[in-house]
Amino acid sequence: MPPSPDTPRTADRPLLPTLRRFLPDLWPSDAPGMRARVAGAMALVVCSKLVQVYGAPFALQAAVDGMAVPTTPLHLIVLFVIGYAAARFGATLFDNLRNTVFERVGQEATRRLATRVFRHLHRLSLRFHLERRTGAVTKVIERGTKSIDTMLYFLLFNIAPTVLELTLVLGIFWVKFGWPLVAGTLAMVAAYIWFTRVVTDWRAALRERMNDLDTGAVAHAVDSLLNFETVKYFGAEEREARRYDKAVRSYADAAVVSENSLAWLNVGQAAITNLMMGAGMAYVAWGWSQGRFTAGNVVLVSTLLAQLFRPLDLLGMVYRTIRQGVIDMGSMFDLVDTPPEIVDVPHAAPLSVPRGHVRFEDVRFGYDTGMPILKGVDLDVPAGTTLAVVGSSGAGKSTLARLMYRFYDLDSGRITIDGQDIAQVTQDSLRAAIGIVPQDTVLFNDTIGYNIGYGREESDLPAIREAARGAAIAPFIERQPEGYQTRVGERGLKLSGGEKQRVAIARTLLKNPPILILDEATSALDSRTEAEIMETLEAIERGRTTIVIAHRLSTVVHADQIVVLEAGEVVERGTHAELMARDGAYAGMWARQAKERAAALAEV
């Protein structure tokens, strides 16, 4: 049904500001070749419209008028008919040449904007990505970038040519038929545009709701498939299917309402255009009866209006597409307009790491206001030494690693490397100086060689092999039929936990950073694999400033200094021997873990 006064409308996004956001990509200052293509395409548009308006209709009118006069030579009438056909072919030729010339412009504009959005997403903070679903974000980007080429095409090759054609047609009507036909045509166009806009805006609200439901369904599907192991652990396949079916059903219901509303738009547009066609031809026929117009004039008016109606019929679709494109691109620009939480200070200098001395000075931090995680932590890690941070879950151990990488800014205090506050140096240089072997190693769905080589851009195969040997994973790789070209699967799921950890170690070895963080690097491994990897880790720690974040105390007895963190505060520090002799929190944790190990061995 058509919109009622109380029908909720979409939260309109401003059309012109949104269009201005991507129009610079259409006329790039650094690409004169693209500008030449745009200018050439527009010249072809003008040629096409001139041929359509002044060529075909007047040739057909001349042929009809000639046939009405018995003395007209046959060959002249035939020439007019051939001219009519040639004009129609010329218009088609110019339109297709225009498309060929402009295609590169549209693709280039899409590429530029898509790359800009992708680069911006990687500049956003860790907090942003943790709070959003990856599937929903990628869907927003996909819709936004796909709409660019379509919007460019319609704006330049439908709206602008239609305005030009309308101007030319009105000029012909004024000269040959007077103001009544001009006034009627303008009234028809105004009514057509008003009706199209009102109904299309109503449909846009329906469409936006449909898109929201579609995004939600896709996001749920991606989230469910990424966690398929958890689904299987709990036998929840049918539960997930029901949730997905519910989401898809809501989308289908909204899609039905949206598509059915199109019928109202099409019927109303057809009524307006056909009313004008009938009235215009009737006016010329009345003038013919009074001897003012010829029979060919009826054909001329009919042809001109029919040609004008074709782009006007498309104008409805164009407006809908542009409105939908504005919605899709607006959502994408919302991502682009999201400011990065962590930015370099003005004139930030690159980090210099001659030694690798790390200090945490009265560091206070909380992910949310009023919920502190670290409460005045002081740590001193001399260059080339190993500091182990232990404590119960939730004590803030992994937060230290995130702060070292400056994924978040501190509430107060500072972290320094060789005396340089990490908040005052460039993020790129800071992260280049630190390597990490994380607790949960997530690999790209690519080859083992690619995942190891990710540690250093443009690393060659000999360097990758050397890193693999250093991480003690080279024998495993070389046993595979495809060697370093073996694919690891989604998130590296084709590899075992120990194999993934070794890939992560090899990747960090290839990076060769002066500062190393081991964040629960063996917590998910069995005792035998843990012992093997600990030998590798202890080897790569030598000569580097290393921070080891661990739960199992047996993995940190070799550390130069051990810090016990509880509820965001340092409660003990010292070597393994010193802390055991003190018989405090560390000794209590050691005793509990020893008892747990003994119980586990007894069960075996």
Side-chain angles (χ1 to χ4, degrees):
M1 59 179 294
S4 60
D6 58 348
T7 300
R9 295 162 60 94
T10 181
D12 290 333
R13 292 185 180 272
L15 178 62
L16 292 179
T18 303
L19 296 181
R20 283 198 296 266
R21 292 290 297 270
F22 77 85
L23 286 180
D25 293 306
L26 175 65
W27 193 255
S29 58
D30 60 342
M34 293 297 107
R35 289 185 170 188
R37 284 179 174 270
V38 173
M42 296 310 297
L44 290 169
V45 167
V46 174
C47 292
S48 173
K49 287 305 175 185
L50 290 175
V51 169
Q52 285 184 27
V53 173
Y54 290 108
F58 281 96
L60 186 58
Q61 173 191 257
V64 172
D65 284 340
M67 293 173 66
V69 179
T71 59
T72 304
L74 177 60
H75 71 274
L76 187 59
I77 296 175
V78 171
L79 286 176
F80 284 136
V81 172
I82 293 174
Y84 170 74
R88 288 176 58 89
F89 172 75
T92 301
L93 176 63
F94 286 133
D95 286 346
N96 283 275
L97 287 176
R98 172 205 69 194
N99 293 343
T100 301
V101 170
F102 188 76
E103 181 61 29
R104 173 61 60 183
V105 178
Q107 294 299 329
E108 182 68 10
T110 301
R111 179 194 67 81
R112 285 170 175 255
L113 185 55
T115 302
R116 192 159 70 245
V117 174
F118 185 78
R119 182 177 288 114
H120 180 76
L121 283 175
H122 275 293
R123 289 178 54 232
L124 293 177
S125 66
L126 180 63
R127 193 192 309 273
F128 172 89
H129 290 284
L130 292 177
E131 291 176 352
R132 283 161 176 79
R133 291 187 175 186
T134 302
V137 172
T138 55
K139 191 71 174 179
V140 168
I141 298 172
E142 177 188 356
R143 286 202 196 104
T145 53
K146 281 185 176 180
S147 66
I148 298 170
D149 189 48
T150 303
M151 290 181 69
L152 286 175
Y153 182 88
F154 283 144
L155 284 171
L156 295 178
F157 303 144
N158 189 281
I159 293 181
T162 300
V163 172
L164 174 60
E165 183 172 2
L166 177 61
T167 302
L168 296 175
V169 168
L170 291 176
I172 294 171
F173 284 176
W174 180 269
V175 171
K176 296 187 69 68
F177 306 107
W179 68 266
L181 197 55
V182 172
T185 303
L186 285 174
M188 180 274 296
V189 172
Y192 186 95
I193 292 175
W194 174 83
F195 177 80
T196 299
R197 178 172 183 177
V198 170
V199 179
T200 300
D201 284 346
W202 168 57
R203 295 192 70 244
L206 301 176
R207 181 82 180 183
E208 188 169 27
R209 179 174 180 273
M210 184 179 74
N211 280 348
D212 290 342
L213 293 171
D214 182 34
T215 298
V218 172
H220 170 73
V222 172
D223 193 33
S224 181
L225 291 174
L226 286 177
N227 292 279
F228 76 95
E229 289 176 282
T230 303
V231 174
K232 290 185 177 298
Y233 289 153
F234 292 91
E237 292 92 335
E238 185 58 32
R239 186 196 318 169
E240 289 297 310
R242 287 196 303 270
R243 287 184 61 198
Y244 181 68
D245 181 65
K246 181 180 179 181
V248 174
R249 184 183 295 111
S250 298
Y251 166 76
D253 292 342
V256 168
V257 174
S258 177
E259 292 305 314
N260 286 347
S261 66
L262 179 61
W264 290 99
L265 182 61
N266 291 337
V267 169
Q269 290 173 338
I272 294 171
T273 55
N274 284 285
L275 179 63
M276 178 59 204
M277 175 73 80
M281 293 179 67
Y283 173 75
V284 177
W286 171 77
W288 168 80
S289 69
Q290 295 184 335
R292 294 170 54 198
F293 306 136
T294 67
N297 288 150
V298 176
V299 175
L300 176 65
V301 170
S302 172
T303 304
L304 287 174
L305 287 176
Q307 288 183 171
L308 183 61
F309 291 161
R310 280 199 296 273
L312 278 180
D313 285 341
L314 286 177
L315 189 62
M317 182 187 70
V318 169
Y319 181 71
R320 294 194 304 271
T321 302
I322 291 177
R323 289 296 299 132
Q324 184 57 43
V326 168
I327 293 171
D328 293 339
M329 292 182 66
S331 298
M332 183 177 65
F333 285 137
D334 285 345
L335 293 178
V336 175
D337 293 337
T338 302
E341 181 181 343
I342 309 301
V343 296
D344 291 341
V345 297
H347 311 297
L351 176 68
S352 174
V353 191
R355 300 176 61 241
H357 186 178
V358 177
R359 288 180 59 87
F360 285 68
E361 303 174 7
D362 193 25
V363 170
R364 299 179 183 274
F365 172 76
Y367 293 105
D368 298 306
T369 304
M371 298 182 63
I373 301 296
L374 300 179
K375 308 167 185 176
V377 171
D378 287 294
L379 301 175
D380 189 0
V381 193
T385 65
T386 297
L387 167 73
V389 182
V390 301
S392 58
S393 297
K397 303 187 300 297
S398 294
T399 299
L400 295 175
R402 292 178 172 180
L403 296 179
M404 275 284 291
Y405 268 93
R406 205 182 163 212
F407 289 157
Y408 301 91
D409 277 334
L410 308 180
D411 294 337
S412 65
R414 67 176 193 155
I415 301 172
T416 65
I417 297 177
D418 287 335
Q420 302 157 88
D421 189 340
I422 65 171
Q424 303 300 315
V425 300
T426 61
Q427 297 175 67
D428 288 343
S429 64
L430 170 65
R431 291 163 189 167
I434 305 174
I436 188 168
V437 180
Q439 175 181 5
D440 183 18
T441 300
V442 179
L443 303 181
F444 292 97
N445 188 5
D446 210 298
T447 65
I448 292 181
Y450 175 83
N451 278 282
I452 295 176
Y454 202 79
R456 188 175 72 231
E457 190 174 7
E458 297 180 357
S459 52
D460 55 17
L461 186 57
I464 292 173
R465 286 174 172 167
E466 181 65 25
R469 284 193 290 271
I473 195 176
F476 164 78
I477 298 174
E478 291 162 1
R479 287 196 301 270
Q480 306 306 309
E482 297 182 61
Y484 285 85
Q485 295 303 308
T486 301
R487 301 193 72 87
V488 303
E490 185 86 21
R491 296 183 298 157
L493 290 178
K494 289 185 178 180
L495 304 182
S496 68
E499 291 158 358
K500 287 198 296 184
Q501 289 296 95
R502 290 188 189 277
V503 169
I505 294 169
R507 187 162 59 188
T508 302
L509 279 174
L510 189 62
K511 184 177 182 180
N512 194 27
I515 300 171
L516 181 64
I517 298 175
L518 306 177
D519 185 5
E520 302 273 14
T522 63
S523 64
L525 306 179
D526 59 82
S527 299
R528 179 177 176 180
T529 305
E530 178 186 63
E532 293 174 351
I533 289 184
M534 281 306 304
E535 293 179 8
T536 305
L537 292 176
E538 289 177 23
I540 69 172
E541 287 175 28
R542 298 188 188 103
R544 305 175 197 271
T545 303
T546 305
I547 298 176
V548 180
I549 297 168
H551 175 71
R552 297 180 186 174
L553 303 187
S554 59
T555 63
V556 299
V557 293
H558 67 288
D560 300 298
Q561 180 185 180
I562 300 173
V563 167
V564 181
L565 202 63
E566 290 296 339
E569 297 180 303
V570 175
V571 295
E572 285 184 343
R573 71 178 77 214
T575 64
H576 172 72
E578 291 169 349
L579 293 175
M580 290 298 293
R582 192 174 300 169
D583 196 24
Y586 180 86
M589 293 169 60
W590 181 272
R592 286 193 298 273
Q593 292 187 12
K595 187 175 181 180
E596 291 170 0
R597 287 196 300 270
L601 290 173
E603 292 178 2
V604 173

